[in-house]
Amino acid sequence: GAVVSQHPSRVICKSGTSVKIECRSLDFQATTMFWYRQFPKQSLMLMATSNEGSKATYEQGVEKDKFLINHASLTLSTLTVTSAHPEDSSFYICSARWTGGNEQYFGPGTRLTVT
Amino acid sequence: ELKVEQNPLFLSMQEGKNYTIYCNYSTTSDRLYWYRQDPGKSLESLFVLLSNGAVKQEGRLMASLDTKARLSTLHITAAVHDLSATYFCAVDIFTNAGKSTFGDGTTLTVKP
C-alpha cells in the first residue's frame, strides 16, 4: 500500500517552454503533498507544500509564479515549471501523506532536462 | 529553525565491516526517518522512529533514536556491496505542517 506515482519519469524540453509534472497517490487520499527538487549529489530541497483545495505554501526563495502547484483532488497534485531555463534542470520528487499518518510516501521522481 | 546534521558525509568501507552513521538534530522532534537513495532513483523508506529508545532492524541495518540527545544512529553490520547507496535521515516536528527536514546524506560505498 501507500504508492505514489509521478508522470513523466523523464522529460526534455526547450528553454522558454512549460512542462507539467503529475503526482498521484494511487491507494490513499493524500491530504498533503510536497514537492522537492534535488540537484546532483545534494540533498532534497523542499519547494512547496500543497493541501487539497488550498493554495500551495512555497518555501523561501522559490518563485511561485515560476513553479505553479495545483492540488485539485485528494489523489492528484501537479507542478508546472513555466518558462523553463537550463538552470531548472533537476530531479523533481513529490511525496504525499494523509492527516494523522506517520510518514511521507515518495514518488519515483521526474528528471527534467531543459535544453 | 530545525537543523539536521549527518556524519560522515562519505563513507567507504570493506565488505564484512561494521559502521555507524550519525544524525543529530537541533530541536525536539516528533518523528525521525531513515531513507535510502540509489543513483538516479527516488527515496526508499527504511525506518520510521517515533519515540525515545526506539530501535528497528531490517537485515544488516539497525536504527535507533535517543530523543534526549537528539541523536539517531544507523548501524551497518557486516556490510555487503548491495548496501552501497546514499542514506538520508529526516526529522519532523509537529508544528512544521508535516514537513520533514533532511540531512545532507551519507554516501556509502562498500568495497569487496
Side-chain angles (χ1 to χ4, degrees), chain B residues 14-86:
Chain B
Q14 296 288 129
E15 279 192 329
K17 298 292 187 182
N18 304 332
Y19 209 83
T20 301
I21 300 170
Y22 297 88
C23 175
N24 289 91
Y25 52 98
S26 61
T27 191
T28 303
S29 164
D30 298 301
R31 305 174 188 121
L32 190 137
Y33 309 92
W34 284 98
Y35 298 97
R36 169 182 173 143
Q37 186 178 36
D38 292 299
K41 303 289 187 182
S42 186
L43 273 65
E44 173 191 351
S45 178
L46 295 175
F47 302 108
V48 180
L49 302 172
L50 300 176
S51 60
N52 187 44
V55 177
K56 291 195 174 180
Q57 183 163 5
E58 181 73 36
R60 300 173 187 276
L61 301 178
M62 183 174 71
S64 66
L65 178 62
D66 181 343
T67 58
K68 294 179 182 177
R70 297 178 185 167
L71 171 69
S72 180
T73 60
L74 180 66
H75 187 73
I76 303 155
T77 302
V80 293
H81 179 70
D82 285 352
L83 290 179
S84 297
T86 298

Side-chain angles (χ1 to χ4, degrees), chain A residues 32-82:
Chain A
T32 305
M33 286 184 168
F34 302 94
W35 287 95
Y36 297 86
R37 67 189 296 182
Q38 186 181 33
F39 292 109
K41 301 191 187 304
Q42 293 188 20
S43 188
L44 276 70
M45 185 195 85
L46 180 65
M47 299 175 67
T49 303
S50 75
N51 292 294
E52 186 263 340
S54 303
K55 287 187 177 180
T57 303
Y58 291 81
E59 296 298 303
Q60 194 170 9
V62 177
E63 300 175 61
K64 60 181 67 175
D65 294 332
K66 181 170 184 61
F67 298 99
L68 301 179
I69 292 171
N70 183 276
H71 192 161
S73 76
L74 284 171
T75 58
L76 174 64
S77 177
T78 60
L79 167 67
T80 302
V81 183
T82 62

Side-chain angles (χ1 to χ4, degrees), chain A residues 6-12 19-22 92 108-112:
Chain A
Q6 275 184 249
H7 179 80
S9 57
R10 288 178 178 273
V11 58
I12 301 172
V19 61
K20 181 185 285 188
I21 302 169
E22 291 187 349
Y92 291 87
T110 296
R111 177 79 56 195
L112 170 63

